[in-house]
Amino acid sequence: MAALVSSPREVFSEAVRAVLETWPVLQIAVDNGFGGVFSQQKADWMVDAVQQYFHDNSDLEQDEVEDFLSELMNNEFDTVVDDGSLPQVAQKVCVMFQQCKQGKLAEVRQHISQLALKKASGRAKVTPVKSPTEDADDDGDRDNDESMECDEAQAGASVSSTALKLQQQPFSSTRTEEEEEEEEGWTVVCRKK
């Protein structure tokens, strides 16, 4: 039986993968196809890009790693990360890189296993939820914007799927009325010729 001996570079690559796979912003972007049809491949490539960035640059500061991750998310997934998670992700990666560099591979592996447990407990999901105050608010004091709201559960799914369809298909005035009504319950009103 071969011994499980890994180089610091291999362990660091595993660590980067573990951190990125448990980063809710990236996982939401992948799950919802923000990077197009190759979103998962882009996420896999991102692991290699981050690992290579560390090996090509000596003594990286956390803010440099934040900027790099932010740029990757913006360029590859059209996503601006503004939830405050970027510093945490950059810090985790920086700490694990330093530990790998110092030969503390057992500590890094332990951290990877903790992240794997976190991943196994469930990925971040975006689910629209109607607040209890919306159901109880029948006094007519709603804003005009609220009167335009649709059922949130249906609207979230249909808007995102309709937006993806529209991005993939150029607008064509030759579409039939049946096609227009089939798009998730939406009816498209077109001008007569």
Side-chain angles (χ1 to χ4, degrees), residues 91-153:
Q91 180 186 23
K92 284 180 189 177
V93 175
C94 287
V95 166
M96 287 195 271
F97 179 73
Q98 288 302 321
Q99 289 175 332
C100 286
K101 196 172 171 182
Q102 296 167 359
K104 299 178 181 178
L105 301 182
E107 291 177 31
V108 176
R109 283 192 184 101
Q110 182 180 7
H111 197 71
I112 291 170
S113 65
Q114 290 171 351
L115 289 171
L117 288 174
K118 180 180 175 183
K119 181 183 174 192
S121 68
R123 292 176 82 167
K125 299 281 184 198
V126 177
T127 54
V129 177
K130 204 170 198 177
S131 68
T133 57
E134 285 182 5
D135 292 334
D137 187 18
D138 290 321
D139 59 1
D141 289 341
R142 293 179 181 219
D143 294 334
N144 288 338
D145 291 340
E146 289 182 21
S147 66
M148 297 292 290
E149 291 180 0
C150 298
D151 179 37
E152 290 179 13

